[in-house]
Amino acid sequence: MISLKLRSKISAPKVLVIDDEVQLAEVCRAVLQNAGAKAKVIYDGADAEEAIQAFRPDIIISDIKMPEVRGDELLVMLRDHGYPTPVIMVTGLERTKISIPKDCPNLFALIYKPIEYEQLVRTVQNCLNIIEARQLNEALMQRLFEASKSELTFEEWQNTALDGIVDTMNKRRAS
């Protein structure tokens, strides 16, 4: 079995696996659980929204080609309903036959079948690292905002602060 262990401040990160290939989905569940995740499997994208609301996954792993609701449709649903959950897409399709909407911010990675399970665990780990970095950035920005005692709203203050950071970075690059 895979020897990689997920390292995360999120204790037992929750991963939802959506794939109509039962055997593949169950192997993914076993690999992820062995790596330290809490994994749940559903076999149809049509059940995804209910499963997401009930399980509240940190990450979703989904096949693209499924009979009821395809993975690309899942991405659109997540975007349209405001779910921020990152998605790792899995497919056996050729690159030329993959249709993923460009305006779906949830897409984190695309893995081709046959799945290399160590690659799957590494991809989940990379996704967790980004989730944790975003959480840390949000917490730090909130602390800086509170310390600034600004009269602006947090969103206004944050936009101003980020614009200043971008300007500083651009000036450093130009010199």
Side-chain angles (χ1 to χ4, degrees), residues 25-45:
E26 291 301 332
V27 171
C28 284
R29 177 201 329 240
V31 166
L32 292 166
Q33 286 177 334
N34 186 53
K38 181 177 180 182
K40 177 179 177 59
V41 173
I42 60 172
Y43 307 106
D44 189 340

PDB file of all heavy atoms in Angstrom, residues 25-45:
ATOM      1  N   ALA A  25     -13.205   3.927  -7.140  1.00  0.00           N
ATOM      2  CA  ALA A  25     -13.585   4.815  -6.038  1.00  0.00           C
ATOM      3  C   ALA A  25     -13.204   4.202  -4.688  1.00  0.00           C
ATOM      4  O   ALA A  25     -12.693   4.898  -3.806  1.00  0.00           O
ATOM      5  CB  ALA A  25     -15.083   5.103  -6.096  1.00  0.00           C
ATOM      6  N   GLU A  26     -13.441   2.914  -4.534  1.00  0.00           N
ATOM      7  CA  GLU A  26     -13.119   2.250  -3.262  1.00  0.00           C
ATOM      8  C   GLU A  26     -11.608   2.168  -3.033  1.00  0.00           C
ATOM      9  O   GLU A  26     -11.141   2.300  -1.895  1.00  0.00           O
ATOM     10  CB  GLU A  26     -13.761   0.870  -3.212  1.00  0.00           C
ATOM     11  CG  GLU A  26     -15.279   0.911  -3.105  1.00  0.00           C
ATOM     12  CD  GLU A  26     -15.795   1.640  -1.871  1.00  0.00           C
ATOM     13  OE1 GLU A  26     -15.101   1.681  -0.830  1.00  0.00           O
ATOM     14  OE2 GLU A  26     -16.912   2.190  -1.946  1.00  0.00           O
ATOM     15  N   VAL A  27     -10.842   1.964  -4.085  1.00  0.00           N
ATOM     16  CA  VAL A  27      -9.382   1.951  -3.939  1.00  0.00           C
ATOM     17  C   VAL A  27      -8.896   3.345  -3.548  1.00  0.00           C
ATOM     18  O   VAL A  27      -8.041   3.483  -2.667  1.00  0.00           O
ATOM     19  CB  VAL A  27      -8.688   1.446  -5.227  1.00  0.00           C
ATOM     20  CG1 VAL A  27      -7.181   1.652  -5.149  1.00  0.00           C
ATOM     21  CG2 VAL A  27      -9.001  -0.023  -5.465  1.00  0.00           C
ATOM     22  N   CYS A  28      -9.461   4.380  -4.181  1.00  0.00           N
ATOM     23  CA  CYS A  28      -9.096   5.754  -3.808  1.00  0.00           C
ATOM     24  C   CYS A  28      -9.410   6.014  -2.334  1.00  0.00           C
ATOM     25  O   CYS A  28      -8.604   6.601  -1.621  1.00  0.00           O
ATOM     26  CB  CYS A  28      -9.834   6.765  -4.678  1.00  0.00           C
ATOM     27  SG  CYS A  28      -9.184   6.920  -6.347  1.00  0.00           S
ATOM     28  N   ARG A  29     -10.579   5.558  -1.895  1.00  0.00           N
ATOM     29  CA  ARG A  29     -10.947   5.732  -0.489  1.00  0.00           C
ATOM     30  C   ARG A  29      -9.908   5.056   0.419  1.00  0.00           C
ATOM     31  O   ARG A  29      -9.432   5.650   1.382  1.00  0.00           O
ATOM     32  CB  ARG A  29     -12.317   5.146  -0.196  1.00  0.00           C
ATOM     33  CG  ARG A  29     -12.674   5.272   1.287  1.00  0.00           C
ATOM     34  CD  ARG A  29     -13.733   4.346   1.846  1.00  0.00           C
ATOM     35  NE  ARG A  29     -14.789   3.908   0.989  1.00  0.00           N
ATOM     36  CZ  ARG A  29     -16.079   4.125   1.203  1.00  0.00           C
ATOM     37  NH1 ARG A  29     -16.456   4.842   2.240  1.00  0.00           N
ATOM     38  NH2 ARG A  29     -16.976   3.619   0.397  1.00  0.00           N
ATOM     39  N   ALA A  30      -9.544   3.823   0.098  1.00  0.00           N
ATOM     40  CA  ALA A  30      -8.590   3.075   0.926  1.00  0.00           C
ATOM     41  C   ALA A  30      -7.226   3.772   0.947  1.00  0.00           C
ATOM     42  O   ALA A  30      -6.601   3.895   2.009  1.00  0.00           O
ATOM     43  CB  ALA A  30      -8.455   1.643   0.414  1.00  0.00           C
ATOM     44  N   VAL A  31      -6.776   4.241  -0.199  1.00  0.00           N
ATOM     45  CA  VAL A  31      -5.479   4.926  -0.290  1.00  0.00           C
ATOM     46  C   VAL A  31      -5.504   6.199   0.551  1.00  0.00           C
ATOM     47  O   VAL A  31      -4.577   6.476   1.318  1.00  0.00           O
ATOM     48  CB  VAL A  31      -5.125   5.241  -1.764  1.00  0.00           C
ATOM     49  CG1 VAL A  31      -3.978   6.227  -1.863  1.00  0.00           C
ATOM     50  CG2 VAL A  31      -4.804   3.956  -2.516  1.00  0.00           C
ATOM     51  N   LEU A  32      -6.568   6.961   0.423  1.00  0.00           N
ATOM     52  CA  LEU A  32      -6.664   8.226   1.164  1.00  0.00           C
ATOM     53  C   LEU A  32      -6.787   7.989   2.668  1.00  0.00           C
ATOM     54  O   LEU A  32      -6.173   8.697   3.466  1.00  0.00           O
ATOM     55  CB  LEU A  32      -7.835   9.050   0.644  1.00  0.00           C
ATOM     56  CG  LEU A  32      -7.641   9.580  -0.784  1.00  0.00           C
ATOM     57  CD1 LEU A  32      -8.958  10.077  -1.353  1.00  0.00           C
ATOM     58  CD2 LEU A  32      -6.576  10.664  -0.810  1.00  0.00           C
ATOM     59  N   GLN A  33      -7.557   6.987   3.056  1.00  0.00           N
ATOM     60  CA  GLN A  33      -7.681   6.674   4.485  1.00  0.00           C
ATOM     61  C   GLN A  33      -6.352   6.184   5.041  1.00  0.00           C
ATOM     62  O   GLN A  33      -5.968   6.547   6.154  1.00  0.00           O
ATOM     63  CB  GLN A  33      -8.791   5.656   4.715  1.00  0.00           C
ATOM     64  CG  GLN A  33     -10.163   6.276   4.562  1.00  0.00           C
ATOM     65  CD  GLN A  33     -11.305   5.288   4.721  1.00  0.00           C
ATOM     66  OE1 GLN A  33     -11.156   4.097   4.494  1.00  0.00           O
ATOM     67  NE2 GLN A  33     -12.472   5.804   5.078  1.00  0.00           N
ATOM     68  N   ASN A  34      -5.635   5.388   4.261  1.00  0.00           N
ATOM     69  CA  ASN A  34      -4.318   4.920   4.681  1.00  0.00           C
ATOM     70  C   ASN A  34      -3.345   6.085   4.854  1.00  0.00           C
ATOM     71  O   ASN A  34      -2.459   6.042   5.706  1.00  0.00           O
ATOM     72  CB  ASN A  34      -3.759   3.912   3.661  1.00  0.00           C
ATOM     73  CG  ASN A  34      -2.469   3.299   4.113  1.00  0.00           C
ATOM     74  OD1 ASN A  34      -2.371   2.765   5.208  1.00  0.00           O
ATOM     75  ND2 ASN A  34      -1.452   3.374   3.255  1.00  0.00           N
ATOM     76  N   ALA A  35      -3.551   7.144   4.071  1.00  0.00           N
ATOM     77  CA  ALA A  35      -2.686   8.322   4.161  1.00  0.00           C
ATOM     78  C   ALA A  35      -3.117   9.269   5.280  1.00  0.00           C
ATOM     79  O   ALA A  35      -2.443  10.261   5.537  1.00  0.00           O
ATOM     80  CB  ALA A  35      -2.676   9.060   2.825  1.00  0.00           C
ATOM     81  N   GLY A  36      -4.256   9.000   5.925  1.00  0.00           N
ATOM     82  CA  GLY A  36      -4.672   9.806   7.062  1.00  0.00           C
ATOM     83  C   GLY A  36      -5.896  10.666   6.839  1.00  0.00           C
ATOM     84  O   GLY A  36      -6.263  11.455   7.711  1.00  0.00           O
ATOM     85  N   ALA A  37      -6.548  10.540   5.703  1.00  0.00           N
ATOM     86  CA  ALA A  37      -7.752  11.335   5.428  1.00  0.00           C
ATOM     87  C   ALA A  37      -8.998  10.583   5.862  1.00  0.00           C
ATOM     88  O   ALA A  37      -8.994   9.357   5.984  1.00  0.00           O
ATOM     89  CB  ALA A  37      -7.841  11.651   3.935  1.00  0.00           C
ATOM     90  N   LYS A  38     -10.045  11.337   6.064  1.00  0.00           N
ATOM     91  CA  LYS A  38     -11.364  10.744   6.249  1.00  0.00           C
ATOM     92  C   LYS A  38     -12.013  10.839   4.876  1.00  0.00           C
ATOM     93  O   LYS A  38     -12.245  11.936   4.363  1.00  0.00           O
ATOM     94  CB  LYS A  38     -12.162  11.538   7.286  1.00  0.00           C
ATOM     95  CG  LYS A  38     -13.524  10.967   7.551  1.00  0.00           C
ATOM     96  CD  LYS A  38     -14.232  11.766   8.648  1.00  0.00           C
ATOM     97  CE  LYS A  38     -15.600  11.157   8.898  1.00  0.00           C
ATOM     98  NZ  LYS A  38     -16.348  11.897   9.913  1.00  0.00           N
ATOM     99  N   ALA A  39     -12.254   9.691   4.243  1.00  0.00           N
ATOM    100  CA  ALA A  39     -12.750   9.685   2.868  1.00  0.00           C
ATOM    101  C   ALA A  39     -14.158   9.109   2.795  1.00  0.00           C
ATOM    102  O   ALA A  39     -14.475   8.128   3.462  1.00  0.00           O
ATOM    103  CB  ALA A  39     -11.806   8.887   1.974  1.00  0.00           C
ATOM    104  N   LYS A  40     -14.980   9.752   1.985  1.00  0.00           N
ATOM    105  CA  LYS A  40     -16.344   9.290   1.726  1.00  0.00           C
ATOM    106  C   LYS A  40     -16.463   9.129   0.216  1.00  0.00           C
ATOM    107  O   LYS A  40     -15.916   9.918  -0.546  1.00  0.00           O
ATOM    108  CB  LYS A  40     -17.355  10.313   2.229  1.00  0.00           C
ATOM    109  CG  LYS A  40     -18.803   9.955   1.926  1.00  0.00           C
ATOM    110  CD  LYS A  40     -19.747  11.011   2.494  1.00  0.00           C
ATOM    111  CE  LYS A  40     -21.194  10.752   2.167  1.00  0.00           C
ATOM    112  NZ  LYS A  40     -21.714   9.487   2.631  1.00  0.00           N
ATOM    113  N   VAL A  41     -17.208   8.108  -0.213  1.00  0.00           N
ATOM    114  CA  VAL A  41     -17.381   7.833  -1.632  1.00  0.00           C
ATOM    115  C   VAL A  41     -18.852   7.916  -2.011  1.00  0.00           C
ATOM    116  O   VAL A  41     -19.715   7.425  -1.273  1.00  0.00           O
ATOM    117  CB  VAL A  41     -16.847   6.419  -1.991  1.00  0.00           C
ATOM    118  CG1 VAL A  41     -17.177   6.047  -3.417  1.00  0.00           C
ATOM    119  CG2 VAL A  41     -15.347   6.333  -1.756  1.00  0.00           C
ATOM    120  N   ILE A  42     -19.110   8.568  -3.136  1.00  0.00           N
ATOM    121  CA  ILE A  42     -20.417   8.463  -3.780  1.00  0.00           C
ATOM    122  C   ILE A  42     -20.156   8.078  -5.229  1.00  0.00           C
ATOM    123  O   ILE A  42     -19.095   8.368  -5.776  1.00  0.00           O
ATOM    124  CB  ILE A  42     -21.268   9.748  -3.660  1.00  0.00           C
ATOM    125  CG1 ILE A  42     -20.578  10.940  -4.304  1.00  0.00           C
ATOM    126  CG2 ILE A  42     -21.627  10.025  -2.214  1.00  0.00           C
ATOM    127  CD1 ILE A  42     -21.467  12.182  -4.378  1.00  0.00           C
ATOM    128  N   TYR A  43     -21.124   7.423  -5.834  1.00  0.00           N
ATOM    129  CA  TYR A  43     -20.906   6.837  -7.159  1.00  0.00           C
ATOM    130  C   TYR A  43     -21.626   7.579  -8.268  1.00  0.00           C
ATOM    131  O   TYR A  43     -21.646   7.124  -9.402  1.00  0.00           O
ATOM    132  CB  TYR A  43     -21.337   5.368  -7.145  1.00  0.00           C
ATOM    133  CG  TYR A  43     -20.670   4.608  -6.029  1.00  0.00           C
ATOM    134  CD1 TYR A  43     -21.386   4.233  -4.902  1.00  0.00           C
ATOM    135  CD2 TYR A  43     -19.306   4.310  -6.084  1.00  0.00           C
ATOM    136  CE1 TYR A  43     -20.766   3.559  -3.861  1.00  0.00           C
ATOM    137  CE2 TYR A  43     -18.687   3.648  -5.046  1.00  0.00           C
ATOM    138  CZ  TYR A  43     -19.421   3.268  -3.936  1.00  0.00           C
ATOM    139  OH  TYR A  43     -18.805   2.618  -2.896  1.00  0.00           O
ATOM    140  N   ASP A  44     -22.193   8.734  -7.963  1.00  0.00           N
ATOM    141  CA  ASP A  44     -22.951   9.470  -8.958  1.00  0.00           C
ATOM    142  C   ASP A  44     -22.882  10.959  -8.653  1.00  0.00           C
ATOM    143  O   ASP A  44     -23.141  11.376  -7.517  1.00  0.00           O
ATOM    144  CB  ASP A  44     -24.406   8.989  -8.912  1.00  0.00           C
ATOM    145  CG  ASP A  44     -25.250   9.535 -10.041  1.00  0.00           C
ATOM    146  OD1 ASP A  44     -24.863  10.556 -10.647  1.00  0.00           O
ATOM    147  OD2 ASP A  44     -26.300   8.943 -10.321  1.00  0.00           O
ATOM    148  N   GLY A  45     -22.544  11.750  -9.650  1.00  0.00           N
ATOM    149  CA  GLY A  45     -22.470  13.189  -9.459  1.00  0.00           C
ATOM    150  C   GLY A  45     -23.798  13.817  -9.085  1.00  0.00           C
ATOM    151  O   GLY A  45     -23.841  14.913  -8.515  1.00  0.00           O
TER     152      GLY A  45
END
